[in-house]
Amino acid sequence: MAVAAVAKTPSRGVRALREAAVAAVVALVLAVPLLGFETVQMQAGLELRTRWSWVAIAVASVFTGRLLLALFGSRARRDTPSPRSTELGRIVRQSAPYVGPVGVLAAVALPLMPFSDRYVLDVGILVLTYVMLGWGLNIVVGLAGLLDLGYVAFYAVGAYTFALLSLNFDLSFWICLPLAGLFAGSFGVLLGFPVLRLRGDYLAIVTLGFGEMIRVILINFSSLTNGPNGLSGIPRPSFFGLPFTAAPADGGATFSSFFGLAYSPLQRVIFLYYLILVLALLTNAFTLRIRRLPIGRAWEGLREDEIACRSLGINPTNTKLTAFAIGAMFGGFAGSFFATRQGFISPESFTFIESAIILAIVVLGGMGSQLGVVVAAIVLIGGPELVRQLEDFRMLAFGGLMVLIMLWRPRGLLAYREPTIRLGTAGAAVVSGPPQDGTQAR
Amino acid sequence: MEYFLQQLINGLTLGAIYGLVAIGYTMVYGIIGMINFAHGEIYMIGAFISMITFLLLGLLGISWMPLALLIVLVSAMVFTAVYGWTLERIAYRGLRSSPRLTALISAIGMSIFLQNYVQVLQGARVKALPPVLPGGFQIMELDGFVVQLSYLQIGIVVLTVVLMTAFSLLIARTPMGRAQRACEQDMKMASLVGIDVDRTISTTFVIGAALAAVAGMMVTLYYGVIDFYIGFLAGIKAFTAAVLGGIGSLPGAMLGGVAIGLIEVFWSAYFTIEYKDVAAFSILVLVLIFRPTGLLGRPESEKV
């Protein structure tokens, strides 16, 4: 709140009170129309109901919140990365060689834990799906610096490719998966080719438009996609040909009978969990490796300074196109996993909000930080999952959380990012740190 | 011909609504170089506030239409403007010097928040308002096809033209408009010569929100049905309009809005209504590829 300049500076308490009062007045104005009145659709038409108690609660809580913030909150400027945030990043970076493997071990061990029931595993699968999507998008946004708001389009293309291939041609999961990735990747090239010359924000809006277009086409191209009803009966994955069913369908072995285990529906969930874990880790390994190839360096160079890159003879369009296509390919992989896990897909699953969530995971994690993506996915996907019973408030909390995290850490949760390569004082290129462990799990 | 004329009228009406929303995008982009992603939600809130005011006036027994419309207009503008101001204050001011993506994510978060805020408070179901201002002129009639020009359509176009004129004068003639233009050109320089940059940016958001509220009121009256989700698509289309017209240019936003409205209506009328949104986006892509500065935008030089 802008405090009016007065001759004698009022004490902190007075100032806090005044700011809180201003905030309360604003809250009152905000609350009266939307909190104060509720529109109810009745038989005879719309009716208004009042609920002044809500307004009172809202105003009171804003007043208290603002007062507490003004009294005890710090007034630190946020335009420079706060030392705390960099400090945290540094700590994370120093412990990165350990955090990565420990995290992987924990993820591997999760299904074996005594507390892991169906629900925990389902949340785990969900979080890992978003981790994988986040890592895939991180190639596009974090490494190449291309703002893609339509990532869900490739997710959808992957899912539909998988579903259509396996439904129409009866191909197995392991054949459909790479095909879906390839198809999504070519789609990325197709979409990327005309638009990658655009600058940041324009690119964002065009990709957003593409995402919506794909959804509209999926809804209306009924002969192929079955329209808004979606595709159902997508085959479940099998363990190298061994289905996860109680009784073999055609006299063959099932997973449980082959390994001599008692049948449990949990087996498939655990398999799906490990499947997405492996897929996600593949994405991570790929990203970490490709960062050190010339193409990966070119991406990071383009992100930092496009003009300098052009003057060095890097073709920006082709370089961006590779990033776009590779990101799309991983989106396609994740999409086919989604299709096989759900067994049912419809255009409903591929709305803009999905793109926004994936992008939020990348940015909240600290762009380009692999570990940050994991942290952000756990916070954003796992967090709201904990308050599942408050169904209506889940997305409300999600949106609010996005704003708050951005205000608190404008550069992402793990803000610290070391350049992959650093120029030495003499101008010679020196690779930062030993390449094997230095940049592994960032 | 009659069919064409009818669609032209419908397209202009829709275009006026998009244009009003587009101004909010183009102004904010012009001054802080950021896509105000939550602007579509502000428009949606404007629609809800005008609907609630309408119902309230009905309860109070104010039924003389011009007065009722005026009250709705003013209250929607005022309350929505406060939403716009708060939005800027909470979600954007602290992030002004942060990386662009940060502000964009904050804006997307705010958009999700506001959408669900209205959904939680007002319910997810579609709200239908009875027609408020029925009737209109029959311009011509041929072979049983009547070209209708409703009072509401006249009102929407006239109000848009009036607001646009007033707004252009505000930007061109008043000290506030001068400050706004100065901040758009060079924020640091403007603050050095004594312009309160924070206040100017706040004003920009307030004006943008007020205009979006007018658009929201129009859409409530024109279509009679609103829900908490209308802001998203309208927001994207209005942004498309702003880009089409040349982002940062006020006449461009209006022109782009009308163009998008016409494209959408004609596409639905002559081709397939299912793909009308695809048509709008395709136009956006084509414009950006062949004329990235939009119709009226200034070419931007690349500095090293």
Side-chain angles (χ1 to χ4, degrees):
Chain A
M1 282 320 114
V3 179
V6 281
K8 74 173 188 352
T9 329
S11 73
R12 191 170 190 186
V14 174
R15 215 164 49 205
L17 264 179
R18 188 185 301 163
E19 286 176 17
V22 172
V25 169
V26 172
L28 180 70
V29 178
L30 292 181
V32 161
L34 288 176
L35 260 74
F37 296 100
E38 187 190 13
T39 48
V40 189
Q41 187 82 56
M42 303 297 277
Q43 289 267 299
L46 279 180
E47 265 184 26
L48 271 190
R49 289 186 193 151
T50 55
R51 37 179 188 199
W52 298 119
S53 55
W54 288 35
V55 178
I57 294 169
V59 171
S61 42
V62 166
F63 182 81
T64 333
R66 188 75 187 94
L67 191 66
L68 292 179
L69 195 68
L71 283 179
F72 303 111
S74 65
R75 303 201 115 260
R77 293 285 308 160
R78 291 198 185 86
D79 41 3
T80 49
S82 81
R84 250 188 322 159
S85 140
T86 335
E87 195 51 39
L88 184 80
R90 197 178 297 279
I91 293 168
V92 168
R93 163 137 173 84
Q94 273 159 3
S95 52
Y98 316 107
V99 171
V102 166
V104 170
L105 276 182
V108 169
L110 178 72
L112 312 172
M113 293 291 158
F115 59 83
S116 292
D117 53 0
R118 172 89 204 237
Y119 176 72
V120 171
L121 285 177
D122 274 339
V123 174
I125 291 173
L126 195 67
V127 169
L128 280 173
T129 312
Y130 279 98
V131 167
M132 171 163 183
L133 284 168
W135 276 339
L137 185 63
N138 206 2
I139 296 175
V140 183
V141 179
L143 293 189
L146 302 167
L147 184 45
D148 185 353
L149 277 180
Y151 194 63
V152 79
F154 308 121
Y155 190 42
V157 167
Y160 269 88
T161 311
F162 179 87
L164 291 170
L165 281 178
S166 58
L167 284 175
N168 294 336
F169 300 105
D170 210 21
L171 297 173
S172 85
F173 174 80
W174 298 104
I175 297 175
C176 292
L177 180 76
L179 285 177
L182 270 181
F183 199 74
S186 0
F187 224 79
V189 174
L190 212 67
L191 292 193
F193 198 69
V195 300
L196 282 175
R197 289 185 303 154
L198 301 172
R199 283 183 298 112
D201 291 340
Y202 286 159
L203 181 69
I205 280 299
V206 170
T207 47
L208 193 164
F210 274 141
E212 281 300 295
M213 269 155 89
I214 297 259
R215 201 171 62 84
V216 173
I217 290 170
L218 288 179
I219 291 176
N220 292 307
F221 196 176
S222 302
S223 55
L224 184 68
T225 64
N226 201 19
N229 298 329
L231 296 164
S232 54
I234 300 165
R236 301 300 196 145
S238 57
F239 187 80
F240 300 102
L242 301 169
F244 291 93
T245 44
D250 45 1
T254 67
F255 176 78
S256 43
S257 73
F258 187 83
F259 288 99
L261 302 164
Y263 169 74
S264 149
L266 210 57
Q267 280 160 359
R268 175 166 57 208
V269 183
I270 293 176
F271 174 68
L272 283 171
Y273 178 86
Y274 281 123
L275 182 62
I276 186 66
L277 183 64
V278 168
L279 283 174
L281 288 177
L282 269 178
T283 316
N284 182 35
F286 183 89
T287 312
L288 291 177
R289 290 281 148 196
I290 205 164
R291 271 176 94 155
R292 286 200 223 107
L293 293 183
I295 182 76
R297 302 230 163 108
W299 288 341
E300 291 191 278
L302 272 178
R303 179 190 66 204
E304 300 300 334
D305 193 337
E306 183 167 340
I307 294 170
C309 277
R310 272 211 305 240
S311 70
L312 288 172
I314 292 170
N315 180 338
T317 313
N318 287 356
T319 314
K320 287 178 183 174
L321 209 54
T322 19
F324 214 63
I326 289 173
M329 183 181 75
F330 284 115
F333 288 151
S336 23
F337 173 80
F338 177 76
T340 191
R341 181 205 165 202
Q342 298 282 328
F344 164 76
I345 50 172
S346 76
E348 280 290 286
S349 312
F350 306 106
T351 51
F352 164 72
I353 202 89
E354 291 295 318
S355 292
I357 291 174
I358 303 165
L359 184 68
I361 287 174
V362 173
V363 179
L364 291 184
M367 283 211 302
S369 157
Q370 296 288 90
L371 203 58
V373 167
V374 181
V375 175
I378 292 172
V379 170
L380 278 188
I381 306 298
E385 207 60 38
L386 293 178
V387 289
R388 185 106 237 189
Q389 55 270 35
L390 304 168
E391 186 59 51
D392 284 350
F393 295 92
R394 209 166 65 92
M395 287 314 285
L396 193 72
F398 180 83
L401 205 61
M402 268 167 85
V403 177
L404 288 182
I405 295 181
M406 282 289 95
L407 288 174
W408 177 52
R409 286 197 184 286
R411 276 153 209 279
L413 290 169
L414 304 181
Y416 188 77
R417 186 175 65 202
E418 185 115 321
T420 314
I421 193 168
R422 180 194 293 275
L423 292 179
T425 40
V430 179
V431 176
S432 66
Q436 252 58 45
D437 53 82
T439 46
Q440 273 299 326
R442 277 215 313 269
Chain B
M1 180 60 205
E2 295 73 34
Y3 189 58
F4 176 83
L5 196 63
Q6 180 69 66
Q7 300 306 332
L8 188 69
I9 295 170
N10 295 348
L12 283 176
T13 318
L14 190 62
I17 296 175
Y18 285 152
L20 283 175
V21 184
I23 288 175
Y25 279 107
T26 218
M27 277 174 65
V28 168
Y29 195 92
I31 197 163
I32 52 175
M34 189 198 91
I35 302 176
N36 177 10
F37 214 89
H39 194 60
E41 264 52 64
I42 292 289
Y43 152 85
M44 179 267 296
I45 285 178
F48 266 88
I49 291 178
S50 24
M51 189 185 68
I52 288 170
T53 321
F54 245 113
L55 295 173
L56 196 63
L57 290 180
L59 287 182
L60 296 177
I62 298 172
S63 55
W64 189 54
M65 221 16 104
L67 178 67
L69 285 176
L70 189 69
I71 295 178
V72 172
L73 182 71
V74 171
S75 85
M77 283 174 89
V78 168
F79 283 109
T80 314
V82 180
Y83 269 94
W85 182 86
T86 316
L87 174 74
E88 193 270 337
R89 187 66 192 77
I90 292 179
Y92 304 145
R93 186 172 290 183
L95 296 176
R96 209 171 286 151
S97 50
S98 305
R100 297 162 81 91
L101 259 181
T102 306
L104 186 72
I105 291 295
S106 173
I108 292 175
M110 212 57 197
S111 163
I112 296 174
F113 178 85
L114 287 176
Q115 227 174 64
N116 288 279
Y117 167 78
V118 173
Q119 185 194 354
V120 166
L121 292 178
Q122 300 293 334
R125 292 178 56 187
V126 167
K127 312 281 177 188
L129 202 68
V132 172
L133 202 62
F137 302 110
Q138 295 187 358
I139 301 181
M140 58 162 95
E141 185 178 348
L142 205 85
D143 302 337
F145 187 88
V146 182
V147 179
Q148 282 273 358
L149 178 60
S150 69
Y151 298 132
L152 202 55
Q153 286 175 325
I154 300 174
I156 287 175
V157 173
V158 168
L159 183 58
T160 306
V161 170
V162 168
L163 279 175
M164 271 308 288
T165 318
F167 177 67
S168 304
L169 287 176
L170 188 81
I171 294 295
R173 297 282 162 80
T174 61
M176 198 191 84
R178 202 154 50 232
Q180 212 267 342
R181 280 178 291 140
C183 287
E184 203 174 314
Q185 282 177 11
D186 192 331
M187 212 180 281
K188 191 171 275 175
M189 235 3 251
S191 72
L192 280 179
V193 295
I195 290 172
D196 188 340
V197 174
D198 278 349
R199 177 183 291 176
T200 311
I201 292 174
S202 285
T203 321
T204 308
F205 273 83
V206 164
I207 295 175
L211 291 178
V214 177
M217 172 195 156
M218 287 171 173
V219 98
T220 311
L221 298 180
Y222 190 53
Y223 290 113
V225 277
I226 54 172
D227 61 32
F228 72 98
Y229 200 63
I230 57 168
F232 174 64
L233 213 54
I236 293 181
K237 284 185 190 154
F239 183 78
T240 305
V243 172
L244 180 61
I247 201 144
S249 150
L250 297 175
M254 212 56 231
L255 187 69
V258 171
I260 292 287
L262 288 175
I263 289 165
E264 198 181 311
V265 166
F266 278 114
W267 187 280
S268 321
Y270 289 99
F271 299 105
T272 48
I273 193 158
E274 290 88 11
Y275 287 103
K276 67 180 164 99
D277 299 336
V278 173
F281 292 131
S282 314
I283 297 294
L284 173 70
V285 174
L286 289 178
V287 169
L288 284 177
I289 291 169
F290 292 109
R291 199 175 156 76
T293 50
L295 296 174
L296 301 182
R298 290 177 296 251
E300 204 164 308
S301 58
E302 221 171 335
K303 284 181 200 145
V304 182

